[in-house]
Amino acid sequence: MADYHVLTRELQEEIEQNRREHWQNPYAFSDEDIVRRNPNHDHANLWRPAFVRDVEKIMHVPYYNRYSDKTQVYSFYKNDDISRRALHVQLVARIARNIGNVLGLNESLIEAISLGHDIGHTPFGHAGERILSELYHEHTGRYFNHNVHSARVLDAIIHRNISLQTLDGILCHNGELELQEYRPEPMSTFVEYDKKVEKCYVDETAIGRLTPCTLEGCVMRICDIIAYLGKDRQDATRLRLLPEKAFSAGTIGTSNGEIINNLIVNLIENSYGKPYLKMDEEYFEALRQAKTENYKTIYQNDELNSHYNEQIRPMFGELYEELLSQAESGDKNSIFYRHHIAYVNESNYSDKGDAVPYEEQEKNQLVVDYLASMTDDYFIDLYHYLFPKGTHDVKFVGYFD
């Protein structure tokens, strides 16, 4: 029987009393303190407040559409009932806003970070991310991380004058690293932010030390884990990929609904009115245990990973080299120019300041930008278009297999 936890009566009464008195959380980030690269644009107004503008900018970036055909966990299944990345970012936003609402935080900032946090993710999920990072590092000595690239998409590829606070929350969201307590590390300038970004390209361990500069960013970061932890189990069960009784019964439960509810309750219980976000020891250990079980039974599945290594990895390699050759040639009739460079230039409408023209940036970076932007289907179709006699392919498990 499902076990859904609730807030203590004392805390519920405190929250209700605070609402009657119109209490405001002193640790919430204020719209008035928003920082943009170009402060002369995007002034807030009644119908488009500061961070609502970021939400809408992100949703109207052309790459936002591509969430719908990017792998969340399961790449090789034709099944409309399993999660794609488009659903994941919505779930993160919903869970994070639920917490933010009760804690009295800036919900629009939370939503902007949530909806933008995976916009730079590669096709084929984290396997695609690892493969692309290896190729990029082999060619340049630099590293690729999807959280860093998501910030790049919104700040350096499709210029939309997104705020420092939203970009930093996206940069620091790394959902693979759970903490029992999250304390924001304040940051107020793009000079600091740019240094933070650059470290991630040259130091492989830097993403493990990232901390959001707002409490809203901290909320979104833990909600990334909450959103996928139970949902990935739900999807695996639907695909019949799990052994019977794959997961142990723990404090936070085993089902998606239990995990979401119970972690939300514990976070609110331990964080209300505080300058940090925290779980108690028992819940944190249960979350870590659940995540370990997911790795063992889902993410490290030998059959799934063999498909990535045998087919997707060599396809990435061949595409990388061909696209790099096209980038270096400067041929404006090439696929690389017509389908990527021109696409990016046509998508930009805001003031780019003194930024280097996009096509003049380092060629490996441009190739990485293109590959990361692709949906799963686009990646496969491009491979077969450029390599009609290529020996690699992806065979999907169909609806009726």
Side-chain angles (χ1 to χ4, degrees):
M1 183 175 179
D3 182 16
Y4 288 87
H5 306 171
V6 298
L7 294 173
T8 60
R9 181 175 296 278
E10 292 78 12
L11 182 58
Q12 291 186 58
E13 291 175 352
E14 179 184 349
I15 292 170
E16 289 167 354
Q17 178 64 28
N18 285 341
R19 287 181 172 181
R20 285 191 292 271
E21 296 172 352
H22 305 290
W23 172 82
Q24 292 185 334
N25 189 338
Y27 306 112
F29 194 86
S30 171
D31 278 15
E32 286 69 31
D33 294 328
I34 193 170
V35 177
R36 298 191 189 278
R37 285 197 188 276
N38 188 341
N40 298 318
H41 286 264
D42 302 300
H43 296 298
N45 52 39
L46 287 174
W47 57 98
R48 292 188 73 206
F51 291 107
V52 169
R53 287 176 175 266
D54 278 5
V55 171
E56 294 174 352
K57 286 169 178 286
I58 290 167
M59 294 184 74
H60 288 285
V61 166
Y63 286 163
Y64 189 85
N65 290 26
R66 301 190 182 186
Y67 272 138
S68 62
D69 186 41
K70 290 201 177 195
T71 290
Q72 178 61 21
V73 174
Y74 307 100
S75 297
F76 309 115
Y77 293 85
K78 290 183 177 180
N79 190 318
D80 293 336
D81 291 327
I82 62 172
S83 304
R84 306 297 281 178
R85 208 154 284 280
L87 177 60
H88 170 69
V89 299
Q90 293 176 59
L91 293 174
V92 173
R94 182 64 270 158
I95 295 166
R97 287 195 66 171
N98 283 350
I99 294 173
N101 175 267
V102 179
L103 296 182
L105 300 177
N106 191 322
E107 289 185 60
S108 294
L109 173 54
I110 286 172
E111 183 176 19
I113 298 169
S114 300
L115 294 181
H117 82 275
D118 274 352
I119 204 164
H121 216 301
T122 59
F124 304 104
H126 287 290
E129 179 180 13
R130 289 191 295 272
I131 294 166
L132 187 54
S133 185
E134 289 168 8
L135 288 166
Y136 187 42
H137 189 258
E138 286 171 8
H139 285 77
T140 66
R142 292 164 72 82
Y143 297 94
F144 175 90
N145 290 283
H146 81 272
N147 50 318
V148 182
H149 194 68
S150 291
R152 173 174 165 77
V153 167
L154 297 169
D155 189 41
I157 300 178
I158 310 296
H159 297 270
R160 288 294 185 271
N161 202 28
I162 300 294
S163 72
L164 172 69
Q165 291 72 34
T166 295
L167 290 171
D168 180 75
I170 290 170
L171 174 70
C172 299
H173 85 260
N174 196 332
E176 297 303 303
L177 300 171
E178 68 278 1
L179 297 173
Q180 184 178 352
E181 181 177 301
Y182 294 84
R183 286 182 180 267
E185 293 183 356
M187 179 180 64
S188 59
T189 70
F190 271 101
V191 172
E192 298 168 272
Y193 170 80
D194 290 339
K195 289 179 180 178
K196 205 170 178 180
V197 170
E198 180 59 22
K199 279 185 181 179
C200 295
Y201 283 111
V202 298
D203 180 355
E204 190 175 18
T205 67
I207 62 165
R209 298 189 296 273
L210 293 176
T211 302
C213 68
T214 65
L215 200 50
E216 288 80 2
C218 294
V219 169
M220 181 270 141
R221 177 165 162 172
I222 185 59
C223 288
D224 190 22
I225 301 176
I226 296 172
Y228 73 65
L229 199 59
K231 197 68 172 70
D232 291 351
R233 296 178 174 199
Q234 192 177 74
D235 288 345
T237 300
R238 186 162 282 130
L239 294 172
R240 296 180 173 83
L241 295 176
L242 294 178
E244 191 174 349
K245 295 182 179 179
F247 304 112
S248 59
T251 300
I252 61 174
T254 57
S255 72
N256 189 36
E258 288 175 312
I259 289 170
I260 292 172
N261 176 80
N262 298 340
L263 285 171
I264 287 176
V265 166
N266 193 255
L267 282 163
I268 294 171
E269 193 74 51
N270 288 281
S271 309
Y272 186 76
K274 306 290 198 314
Y276 54 80
L277 196 69
K278 185 178 180 180
M279 287 171 276
D280 64 30
E281 184 70 28
E282 182 183 5
Y283 281 72
F284 178 64
E285 288 305 319
L287 177 136
R288 293 182 67 183
Q289 176 61 31
K291 194 159 167 282
T292 298
E293 290 179 349
N294 275 26
Y295 269 90
K296 182 178 179 181
T297 58
I298 300 174
Y299 313 137
Q300 295 172 350
N301 181 292
D302 290 339
E303 184 177 351
L304 289 175
N305 287 331
S306 69
H307 290 305
Y308 291 124
N309 291 326
E310 293 169 10
Q311 301 299 332
I312 302 302
R313 184 178 296 277
M315 292 168 78
F316 258 103
E318 290 179 46
L319 280 172
Y320 192 108
E321 297 302 334
E322 172 59 25
L323 293 173
L324 182 59
S325 175
Q326 291 186 15
E328 291 173 339
S329 75
D331 182 4
K332 293 190 176 182
N333 291 314
S334 67
I335 286 288
F336 176 78
Y337 190 91
R338 290 187 291 114
H339 285 258
H340 180 56
I341 299 297
Y343 180 90
V344 168
N345 287 337
E346 290 166 3
S347 300
N348 277 311
Y349 60 73
S350 64
D351 182 11
K352 293 179 284 186
D354 58 357
V356 175
Y358 183 67
E359 58 267 35
E360 295 179 16
Q361 295 182 26
E362 201 278 321
K363 303 309 179 189
N364 283 278
Q365 179 65 75
L366 299 182
V367 169
V368 167
D369 291 347
Y370 188 21
L371 285 166
S373 77
M374 296 177 189
T375 65
D376 295 16
D377 283 349
Y378 184 99
F379 177 96
I380 294 168
D381 284 358
L382 179 61
Y383 176 81
H384 289 306
Y385 181 83
L386 292 177
F387 304 100
K389 296 182 180 180
T391 58
H392 302 286
D393 197 7
V394 175
K395 185 175 181 180
F396 290 92
V397 178
Y399 287 98
F400 311 106
D401 295 337

